[in-house]
């Protein structure tokens, strides 16, 4: 997953990538972009890839009928704004408005 290594180079800034995934019992063996199809990976594999790139990996409680959402983030990325709250646009908006 070279894109994970590429985004890890942005570790000098606070950022995150929210990615949708299809958890599976096995890891995808195909290379390159797959569209419109989907591929699946074991969450433990993604966690290992993130750790090797010195990134945080966290499964998000973001409802979807088929997919699971995960966070790949710089180590210092602040997730307090959505911990123990619904992970929705309004939660982020509340955070921004409260800083004004």
């Amino acid at each position: 997953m070279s894109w994970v290594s590429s985004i890890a180079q942005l570790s000098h800034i606070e950022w995150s990538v929210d990615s949708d995934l299809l958890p599976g019992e096995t890891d995808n063996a195909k290379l390159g972009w797959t569209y419109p199809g989907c591929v699946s990976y074991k969450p433990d594999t993604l966690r290992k890839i993130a750790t090797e790139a010195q990134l945080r990996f966290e499964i998000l409680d973001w409802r979807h009928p088929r997919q699971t959402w995960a966070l790949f983030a710089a180590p210092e990325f602040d997730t307090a704004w959505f911990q123990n709250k619904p992970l929705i646009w309004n939660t982020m908006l509340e955070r921004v408005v409260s800083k004004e």
Side-chain angles (χ1 to χ4, degrees):
M1 291 195 149
S2 62
W3 68 269
V4 175
S5 299
S6 296
I7 63 171
Q9 295 175 21
L10 300 173
S11 63
H12 62 285
I13 58 175
E14 186 177 311
W15 60 270
S16 74
V17 172
D18 303 323
S19 174
D20 59 327
L21 62 106
L22 294 172
E25 298 296 318
T26 60
D27 294 326
N28 173 56
K30 298 177 184 175
L31 297 176
W33 181 257
T34 302
Y35 184 82
C38 297
V39 298
S40 61
Y41 288 92
K42 296 183 285 187
D44 286 342
T45 300
L46 296 174
R47 182 172 284 105
K48 180 180 181 230
I49 290 168
T51 299
E52 289 172 356
Q54 298 180 342
L55 298 174
R56 289 176 37 211
F57 175 79
E58 184 177 334
I59 298 290
L60 300 174
D61 185 18
W62 206 348
R63 307 270 190 280
H64 189 281
R66 184 174 158 206
Q67 299 165 181
T68 297
W69 286 86
L71 174 81
F72 290 86
E76 60 281 341
F77 181 74
D78 179 18
T79 57
W81 64 270
F82 67 78
Q83 293 298 320
N84 302 316
K85 296 179 185 176
L87 189 55
I88 56 173
W89 172 254
N90 290 343
T91 301
M92 179 60 175
L93 183 60
E94 285 175 24
R95 175 182 176 224
V96 171
V97 170
S98 70
K99 288 185 175 182
E100 293 178 351

